[in-house]
């Protein structure tokens, strides 16, 4: 029997979203009477007063696997259960539009949803599944913080971008005898920082999972200069915490956004090092959204395509309420409940990556 599938991309964008969409559309085209529709700007396309849902055919997705971003747009605000609504007095409230979504979904004859997104989006997938929607989740995020999968797509591209930037900072740091602090994304997970530090040959790597002591970092920097290296490169994750356990950032300002805006910990560390008395010229570079933009590397194009094809296969087999995952070398699936049980953070005590980093002399600012 044919199936009508609604595809949404939710949360922050990342390289590989279009490759997933292409994989979905091309695989669905091999089934008799399976049709794919894009819900524009995550679920806003079906929730807004003016519905915005677009048919996606093979010609619509031709060649898009090399493009960054998402052709059906995304948002990390709101959603079916917290839809932002402006009041006559100009203020905003949120309302639950999930029943409206179900009504419209049924009226338009949809059978299933593929929701491509990170932990926030997959929590929405789970809630939708509980309401009776046939949902399959696809894990996306540069942060790599979703459990049950070796990697989320987008992550390897972010690491590549960060490493390329880091390599450039190393040459200028060594020319000027400077200390460079490069701040990378990742929210509460240190995966981007840790991989970049090892790939780039950093002296110091600060991640959220290992609280840092600035005095230990200052000693590491001092020893670099005493040993005549004359420069030092530090990677710090945006969610890094000093011994007080506090993250650096600002409260969300956009309506419907529940996340603290992380950022500024690189400058904070610089100030801490200067307060300790470090006299070297310290410069901070914040990579920001560069890590989320542009062309996905080949690895992410492959993973994203595998995820897209598998999502359609799960729908064909009516294996709903699941999220596709990658456990080398297999692409399979786990229940949404299982996928969301706990996040995927670096586990310092058992991590081979942390052991490797320490093995090549990288300091985490903890000992
Ligand atoms: O989750 C992906 C991510 O890029 C995080 O690494 C970062 O903290 C956050 O999104 C930034 O979100 P926004 O684009 O809303 O500033």
């Amino acid at each position: 029997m044919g199936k009508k599938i609604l595809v949404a991309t939710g949360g922050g964008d990342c390289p590989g979203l279009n490759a997933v969409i292409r994989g979905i559309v091309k695989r669905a085209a091999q089934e008799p009477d399976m049709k794919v529709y894009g819900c524009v700007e995550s679920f806003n396309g079906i929730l807004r007063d003016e519905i915005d849902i677009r048919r996606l055919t093979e010609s619509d997705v031709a060649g898009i696997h090399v493009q960054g971003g998402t052709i059906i747009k995304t948002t990390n605000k709101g959603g079916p259960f917290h839809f932002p609504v402006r009041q006559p007095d100009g203020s905003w409230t949120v309302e639950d539009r999930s029943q409206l979504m179900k009504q419209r979904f049924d009226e338009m004859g949809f059978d299933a949803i593929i929701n491509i997104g990170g932990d926030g989006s997959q929590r929405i997938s789970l809630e939708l599944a509980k309401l009776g929607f046939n949902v399959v989740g696809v894990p996306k995020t540069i942060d790599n913080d979703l459990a049950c999968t070796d990697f989320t797509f987008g992550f390897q591209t972010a690491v590549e971008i960060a490493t390329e930037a880091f390599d450039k900072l190393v040459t200028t740091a060594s020319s000027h005898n400077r200390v460079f602090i490069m701040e990378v994304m990742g929210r509460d997970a240190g995966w981007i920082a840790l991989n970049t530090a090892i790939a780039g040959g950093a002296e110091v790597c600060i991640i959220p999972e290992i609280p840092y002591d600035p005095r230990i970092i200052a000693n590491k920097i001092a020893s670099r200069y005493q040993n005549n290296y004359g420069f030092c490169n530090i990677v710090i994750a945006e969610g890094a915490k000093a011994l007080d356990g506090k993250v650096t950032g600002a409260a969300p300002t956009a309506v419907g956004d529940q996340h603290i805006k992380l950022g500024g910990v690189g400058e904070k560390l610089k100030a801490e090092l200067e307060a300790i008395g470090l006299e070297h010229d310290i410069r901070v570079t914040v990579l920001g959204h560069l890590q989320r933009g542009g062309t996905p590397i080949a690895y992410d194009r492959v993973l994203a395509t595998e995820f897209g094809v598998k999502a359609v296969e799960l729908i064909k087999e009516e294996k709903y309420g699941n999220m596709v995952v990658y456990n080398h070398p297999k692409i399979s699936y786990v229940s949404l409940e299982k996928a969301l049980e706990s996040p995927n953070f670096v586990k310092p005590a058992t991590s081979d990556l942390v052991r490797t980093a320490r093995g090549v002399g990288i300091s985490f600012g903890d000992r």
Side-chain angles (χ1 to χ4, degrees):
M1 206 185 75
K3 287 212 173 4
K4 196 168 166 183
I5 304 171
L6 188 66
V7 178
T9 49
D13 69 339
C14 86
L17 283 165
N18 283 327
V20 181
I21 295 170
R22 176 174 169 273
I24 290 169
V25 172
K26 288 182 87 68
R27 179 63 187 83
Q30 293 176 17
E31 295 301 319
D33 204 22
M34 197 181 253
K35 293 195 173 66
V36 180
Y37 292 76
C39 193
V40 174
E41 208 183 277
S42 188
F43 290 116
N44 283 346
I46 193 169
L47 296 170
R48 282 205 178 117
D49 298 339
E50 214 167 302
I51 291 175
D52 195 354
I53 290 174
R54 300 175 193 171
R55 177 82 206 279
L56 295 174
T57 64
E58 282 192 277
S59 67
D60 294 318
V61 299
I64 66 167
H65 55 296
V66 303
Q67 292 169 16
T70 160
I71 61 162
I72 53 173
K73 303 197 180 286
T74 187
T75 177
N76 52 10
K77 300 174 195 80
F81 304 96
H82 299 95
F83 188 81
V85 180
R86 195 186 268 282
Q87 299 304 302
D89 67 358
S91 64
W92 289 86
T93 54
V94 288
E95 71 183 34
D96 184 343
R97 290 205 168 178
S98 56
Q99 288 307 327
L100 174 72
M101 177 168 163
K102 184 87 180 94
Q103 185 195 322
R104 290 178 168 178
F105 185 83
D106 292 341
E107 278 168 8
M108 285 185 273
F110 280 108
D111 298 288
I113 294 173
I114 298 177
N115 192 18
I116 311 166
D119 63 333
S121 302
Q122 298 317 332
R123 275 177 214 291
I124 292 173
S125 299
L126 181 57
E127 290 311 308
L128 291 175
K130 286 181 187 161
L131 284 181
F133 287 91
N134 297 324
V135 193
V136 168
V138 175
K140 162 245 67 163
T141 166
I142 63 164
D143 305 338
N144 201 39
D145 59 355
L146 268 161
C148 302
T149 184
D150 288 359
F151 297 114
T152 52
F153 70 86
F155 166 67
Q156 299 287 359
T157 302
V159 171
E160 198 66 33
I161 293 167
T163 302
E164 205 181 305
F166 187 83
D167 291 346
K168 290 178 174 141
L169 292 178
V170 170
T171 59
T172 177
S174 72
S175 305
H176 286 268
N177 293 339
R178 283 176 172 153
V179 176
F180 263 92
I181 301 173
M182 188 175 89
E183 182 179 315
V184 298
M185 282 185 165
R187 290 208 70 82
D188 300 314
W191 296 113
I192 298 176
L194 182 50
N195 281 271
T196 302
I198 295 173
E203 281 71 49
V204 179
C205 174
I206 305 300
I207 59 175
E209 295 88 344
I210 305 178
Y212 70 88
D213 180 341
R215 289 166 303 183
I216 293 174
I217 301 173
N219 287 342
K220 173 78 179 179
I221 295 168
S223 79
R224 279 280 297 178
Y225 282 82
Q226 278 152 18
N227 291 321
N228 294 325
Y229 285 104
F231 67 98
C232 184
N233 284 281
I234 300 172
V235 183
I236 189 164
E238 61 179 1
K241 309 166 190 88
L243 297 176
D244 62 9
K246 289 191 188 138
V247 291
T248 310
T253 47
V255 181
D257 190 355
Q258 285 138 8
H259 291 295
I260 175 171
K261 292 278 154 233
L262 294 173
V265 72
E267 285 292 348
K268 179 171 177 267
L269 176 60
K270 174 180 188 252
E272 287 164 343
L273 293 172
E274 286 171 347
I276 289 168
L278 217 71
E279 287 178 349
H280 306 294
D281 189 0
I282 307 173
R283 301 299 177 99
V284 179
T285 299
V286 181
L287 277 196
H289 291 80
L290 286 174
Q291 293 157 97
R292 279 194 355 211
T295 307
I297 62 168
Y299 186 96
D300 279 331
R301 294 183 206 179
V302 174
L303 185 61
T305 305
E306 287 186 290
F307 280 172
V309 167
K310 185 70 181 177
V312 173
E313 287 169 359
L314 290 184
I315 285 179
K316 186 184 169 194
E317 294 159 23
E318 304 198 336
K319 290 184 173 150
Y320 302 124
N322 292 306
M323 186 182 86
V324 299
V325 293
Y326 167 54
N327 295 116
H328 185 75
K330 301 292 291 177
I331 299 288
S332 60
Y333 61 94
V334 295
S335 70
L336 285 162
E337 279 94 349
K338 175 111 189 88
L340 294 166
E341 249 166 35
S342 56
N344 176 32
F345 294 149
V346 178
K347 295 178 188 67
T350 53
S351 164
D352 281 341
L353 276 177
V354 170
R355 186 182 49 75
T356 300
R358 291 198 199 275
V360 291
I362 295 174
S363 167
F364 288 91
D366 61 330
R367 53 167 114 131

